Amino acid sequence: MMNKLQLLRSFLATCLIFSFITILVACSESSTPSAPSESWGEKHFLWKVSDENSSVWLLGSIHIADASFYPLPSVIDSAFATASELAVELNTSDEKVMNDLQWQVKVRGELAGEKLRDVLPAELWNSLDSVCKSWGLPISAFETKRPWVVASTISTYAYMMAGMKTEYGIDNVFIKNANASGKPIISLETVEEQIDALAGYSYSDSAGICFLKSTMRELPKARTMMRDLVHAWKSGDDELLNLLLSEDNTEDYTPSELQFMEELTQHILVDRNANMADSVASFLRDDRNVFVVVGTAHLAFEKNNVIENLRNRGYIIERY
């Protein structure tokens, strides 16, 4: 069944999304106060993966967070301090990466000779129009954008309104720390690969409409979902995390829409998980001491995650 796809997008792809959200809409980040700090759990979404003579750290990220996350537990900061390199999905501090990202979104996120109003079902367009008016966003900014761009932007903006900021995202903080300490930064994916996960197939507009439909339905729950997601991350609660990411909300979807969502999940999670596991395996073969930060769902979400993939290859897995 389909996951809470708009939550997954924010959870996995905000490095990508927040890079162009300000291009699409003129807005500032929310000034909502951060949530009170809560106690950290005994375990974190932090793993050490080892072979006979080397090890790599893997940390699950929330790409949009708030100040209550910091300072992080000492075991996480200590693991980063011992690493020689940082690996992230995309190095957003690299100007070349950011320029390529903006160009790719401009080229691949634009409708070809159509308007969004004509692409979306009337009911969905009206719902989007109402949300934009209530948030003070100009719907004209979306006029020529593909549905997946609009859904991603609306979803992440909802979490901004809940007080979350990209500058506090776990990976963004470690990118900043790596630059400050002189650690080399590795991008595990290219810009094109991240865009392909969202739009690299012939039916992307149809799938994007399903994505937007799901996003609009879940907006009233966005603040609660983010609160629960933050609690799951801080407490290291795998069960709650998987419950949040797997809740079924597909009762009025057609069979073709369900198929679109299943294939999107394959693109977003399963295929990328395998590639990330290959990267970690290559670091271990080359005896590279790397601290890897990727979306937590890549490491902990049900089957076919990166940790399970590496365990099946015979590597030693320890959780901290």
Side-chain angles (χ1 to χ4, degrees), residues 117-178:
R117 180 195 295 266
D118 300 322
V119 172
L120 299 183
E123 182 178 356
L124 186 55
W125 168 264
N126 292 335
S127 178
L128 175 65
D129 186 42
S130 296
V131 167
C132 285
K133 287 177 179 176
S134 68
W135 287 355
L137 297 179
I139 196 169
S140 59
F142 299 129
E143 189 174 26
T144 62
K145 307 303 178 186
R146 291 195 178 279
W148 64 266
V149 175
V150 179
S152 299
T153 305
I154 289 294
S155 177
T156 49
Y157 188 65
Y159 297 124
M160 288 170 60
M161 293 182 67
M164 301 294 149
K165 297 184 178 183
T166 180
E167 66 189 81
Y168 291 123
I170 304 300
D171 40 1
N172 287 335
V173 167
F174 278 108
I175 288 171
K176 180 180 178 180
N177 292 344

Side-chain angles (χ1 to χ4, degrees), residues 273-283 285 306 309-310 313:
N273 288 351
N275 292 335
M276 290 176 183
D278 288 343
S279 293
V280 173
S282 72
F283 296 151
R285 285 195 303 270
V306 174
N309 187 306
L310 292 167
R313 300 186 191 200

Side-chain angles (χ1 to χ4, degrees), residues 85-91 184-189 283 288 290:
E85 302 172 88
L86 171 68
V88 291
E89 292 175 32
L90 278 180
N91 178 11
I185 302 175
I186 305 159
S187 288
L188 296 173
E189 298 175 305
F283 296 151
R288 295 170 68 177
V290 184

